[in-house]
Amino acid sequence: MTSATTPITQNFVTLPRKLPDGPINLVGLTREALKEALITAGSPEKQVKMRLGQLWQWIYEKGVRDFEKMTNLSKDYRAFLAEHFVIAIPEVVSKQVSTDGTRKYLVRIAGGHEVETVYIPESDRGTLCISSQVGCTLTCSFCHTGTQKLVRNLTAGEIIGQVMLARDDLGEWPAPGRNPATSARLLSNIVLMGMGEPLYNFENVRDAMKIAMDPEGIQLSRRRITLSTSGVVPEIARTATEIGCLLAVSFHATTDAVRDKLVPINKRWNIEVLLDALRDYPKASNSERITFEYVMLKGINDSDADAHRLVELIKGIPAKVNLIPFNPWPGAPYERSSNNRINAFSEIVYQAGYASPVRRPRGEDIFAACGQLKSATERARKSRKDIAAETGIHSI
Ligand code: SAH
Ligand code: SF4
């Protein structure tokens, strides 16, 4: 590695701009940032557009991570790239496969932190549920991730890296001659419903999703990406204009008193303020409807009166209501509503003119369902603490 101030000679112009120490990871850089990085490292400006296009295709269309394999680049240029850059994605520490085909990846990111990524195959699609933060700053009382403190935001590279590692595992980088836009896809949809609150990591989530939606490379339509938020109102308008994906909102209650308890961010932006922000979303993002997620908690938010209030509240918003049977976790203070209750609730919403599907829990045997994600280290730490509390033995 040359030091940061060593002039870059070879066939390339010497630039005064200072490079950061160490190689830069190209994964997660937007097209603009990638172009800037190439120029700063000394790639001749005249060819940079072409180089950018070539690199982009190797990284995001073909899934290649080794500059040596980029055969349409000259040997000198490959050496130049290898000197300044790396193409790195997070490491899969372990993979569990459920009896229903769901795959859960434990993913290690820089600093030794861990997040979880879940792939859910269905007959007509394959959805990847990705994480945006290690832990979460919010403390929704029914969510396992909410019991883990926020450790840090994921970088854009770590967010798009989850898509890339899943494609590695699924063997889904196009073979030569295969058109990625028209071939059937194993990974056809992304939901930002893993660990973390995506709108508290807006820029990195946006940049990663722009890479996923880029017309070259991964090429997922913005209608196949759903971002789920607990209701970070100030970022909702930007989500429409700067990402333009579908929006899901963790609604979960029909009165402020109950929502304050379940989704404490409600104390900051209450139901009325949230609904006002949501009203503008479909038009601003040119998308059809918003998904209202509603976790079914026995005796808490699942009465007929709740269902009637819910349809009154969302009146006028193009919406569908996704009912999520509560997924239990050790020590959770709630129980799942009965199937009869969930069906009765769903029927009331449906009769009011809204689709009201009940989300079938997936990957329960591997603890991969919605709201059950928590890093293995955190789980281990928790159980050590529990054991210590139970036995009176304290770990140092
Ligand atoms: N932080 C974002 C996205 C991650 S959570 C958000 O809150 O929207 C993804 C979805 O799973 C949310 O709707 C969340 O409320 C729901 N969820 C969390 N814990 C759950 C649990 N134990 N059972 C069922 N759904 C849960
Ligand atoms: Fe965070 Fe979402 Fe869990 Fe709430 S439901 S604690 S916002 S991950």
Side-chain angles (χ1 to χ4, degrees), residues 255-314:
T255 63
D256 282 324
V258 176
R259 196 163 190 271
D260 280 352
K261 288 212 179 75
L262 299 180
V263 190
I265 200 176
N266 194 67
K267 292 183 205 151
R268 184 110 179 249
W269 297 290
N270 68 15
I271 291 180
E272 193 187 336
V273 174
L274 174 60
L275 288 172
D276 277 345
L278 294 176
R279 256 178 254 286
D280 299 327
Y281 193 88
K283 208 161 147 229
S285 64
N286 188 24
S287 56
E288 299 79 42
R289 54 190 184 171
I290 291 177
T291 300
F292 283 79
E293 297 165 283
Y294 199 96
V295 63
M296 296 299 289
L297 304 169
K298 189 182 219 164
I300 305 284
N301 63 354
D302 61 352
S303 67
D304 284 356
D306 278 305
H308 288 295
R309 262 197 304 271
L310 178 62
V311 295
E312 276 306 308
L313 284 169
I314 64 177

Side-chain angles (χ1 to χ4, degrees), residues 3-66:
S3 83
T5 46
T6 309
I8 300 141
T9 43
Q10 297 178 346
N11 299 327
F12 310 110
V13 280
T14 304
L15 285 175
R17 277 181 269 193
K18 194 172 178 292
L19 283 174
D21 285 328
I24 298 171
N25 186 8
L26 296 182
V27 177
L29 300 185
T30 58
R31 277 182 182 268
E32 299 72 41
L34 182 50
K35 184 173 159 196
E36 188 57 35
L38 289 175
I39 293 173
T40 306
S43 187
E45 286 203 39
K46 257 170 75 185
Q47 299 171 350
V48 82
K49 207 169 153 216
M50 182 179 74
R51 298 291 180 226
L52 171 67
Q54 289 169 319
L55 260 174
W56 194 272
Q57 280 184 356
W58 283 113
I59 301 172
Y60 296 115
E61 195 175 303
K62 302 192 173 76
V64 168
R65 317 249 154 86
D66 179 356

Side-chain angles (χ1 to χ4, degrees), residues 376-392:
T377 21
E378 267 296 316
R379 265 198 297 272
R381 197 169 299 145
K382 177 80 190 315
S383 43
R384 274 199 301 276
K385 241 174 43 203
D386 289 347
I387 294 162
E390 276 162 27
T391 57

Side-chain angles (χ1 to χ4, degrees), residues 142-143 192-194 196-198 228-230 250 252 293 295 324-327 329 370-371:
F142 54 90
C143 172
L192 282 145
M193 293 186 186
E197 169 48 60
S228 174
T229 181
S230 57
S250 295
H252 304 322
E293 297 165 283
V295 63
I324 318 175
F326 172 62
N327 294 309
W329 37 272
C370 256

